Amino acid sequence: MKKINFLNLGRHPITNNFLKRGNPHKEFFYHLKLIYHKDTKLISLKNFIQPNKMFNNKYAHRASASSTMRAAYKNLAENIKKRFNPQSVLEIGSNDGVFIKHFSNLKSIGVEPCKNLAEITLKMKIKTYDKFWTNKLSNEIVRKHGKFDVIYSANTISHIHDLKETFKAIENCLNPWGVFILEDPSLLKSLQKVSYDQFYDEHAYVFSITALNNITKKTSLKLFDIEELETHGGSNRIYFKKAGNKNVKISKKVSKHLLNEKKFGVGKLKTYQKFAKKVKKSKIELIQIFKKLKKLKKNIIGYGATYKSSTVLNFCKIDNKYIKYFLDTTPTKAGKYTPGTHILIKKYKGIPNDVDYAFLGAWNFKDEIFKKEKAFRKRGGKFITHVPSPRII
Ligand code: JHZ
């Protein structure tokens, strides 16, 4: 299988490694490089990081931290109930239960290797396996609970290195009439928005529909529907059925999306080489903005200490000399420092009056944030973003 390097994003820390005061220098770094797989058209990291370095009992991200996401998962759960009427639901990567809690009256199981998160859903009385998704675990689940009508996984399959085993384990747990729903950031959207920050240690892959279609050709899973989502800066929700299930029709959207991606050049190496050039340009322009504002002695903070922003800040070498501190609503991040760049994260209590500019780490929640920060903008406060190109808004 031929793999070709197309972008080197430099030296990076573990994105989940939010540092406590006093230990900012004991960090693990790796080289974040992106590769194109010629056969499957898959885009992945060159160096995968050992899973337990990233997913452990100190996992910080809470899927329910934003009102946008809480509402989106509630809405999705209602739609799944209406469309598929499932009697059993398995979620791979159940995080803090934001989705699976809507199925607590059915046979519902969560899989979540981060023990601190698994404890949250266990407290909600949802049976949760605090293990990584493997063939072994899927056999254990089938033995104890039988197979499932719906298997759902958001922002997780792209984090698992062995895709062959992952899909096999899913096939194993799915009823013959069952549906597997995968939701992950869209490669096409990342390319269009030059949001290179979708690439970090956890995101072993950023999927195109083309690559997922190629990979699952070797399995009994068949793509039958796709929804485009605004979440996480542009995601795809992809529905799979078992190939033998003739009752479910394949939506015209599948061939439409595949054609769209083909037209954009998702299958071609040239597209990624062009993307790499745009990323390097984006870096230069973002640094220029920060340097200019620093010279003018402007007070700059960060807004939303996202995992994505770790890629931007470490790639562009924007550290605590430029950004005074980050504001973030996640309680487990408060009082800690951003990995690699050592910027203090403060608990969000509104933007203080002395702030001139806020770097939008959570650019994917721009609408929610702009609604909330009307007063800041009214008094002349501005945001800095790098998506789709570095600018002040
Ligand atoms: P958010 C994480 O990435 C990690 P991140 C993971 N690998 C993944 O795939 C995605 O999630 C799904 C804060 N915030 O969701 C809350 C505010 O402070 O973009 C969060 O810390 N104020 C699993 O970190 C962060 O921003 C606000 O008003 O890139 C958002 O993180 C809002 C709306 C958010 O995911």
Side-chain angles (χ1 to χ4, degrees), residues 309-322:
S309 65
S310 177
T311 295
V312 180
L313 302 178
N314 283 287
F315 177 53
C316 300
K317 299 199 170 49
I318 294 166
D319 58 12
N320 50 19
K321 288 199 278 302
Y322 292 96

Side-chain angles (χ1 to χ4, degrees), residues 15 18 55 59-63 65-69 73 95 154-156 158-159 184-185 197-198 200-203 232-233 303-309 327-330 333 346 348 361-366 368-369 372-373:
T15 48
F18 293 95
F55 309 110
Y59 200 71
H61 176 73
R62 299 287 183 274
S66 105
S67 60
T68 310
M69 294 315 290
Y73 283 115
N95 198 278
N155 303 303
T156 302
S158 59
H159 299 52
D184 270 301
D197 52 349
Q198 288 296 4
Y200 50 90
D201 53 351
E202 293 185 13
H203 285 183
H232 295 295
Y303 196 107
T306 56
Y307 292 43
K308 291 185 290 294
S309 65
L327 291 177
D328 197 289
T329 49
T330 314
K333 293 182 188 172
K346 291 191 187 176
Y348 174 82
W363 60 268
N364 47 313
F365 290 113
K366 181 174 156 264
E368 183 178 333
I369 293 169
K372 202 157 62 179
E373 304 304 346

Side-chain angles (χ1 to χ4, degrees), residues 83-99:
R83 187 169 174 189
F84 302 112
N85 189 25
Q87 301 308 303
S88 50
V89 180
L90 171 72
E91 186 178 11
I92 307 169
S94 45
N95 198 278
D96 59 3
V98 69
F99 170 80

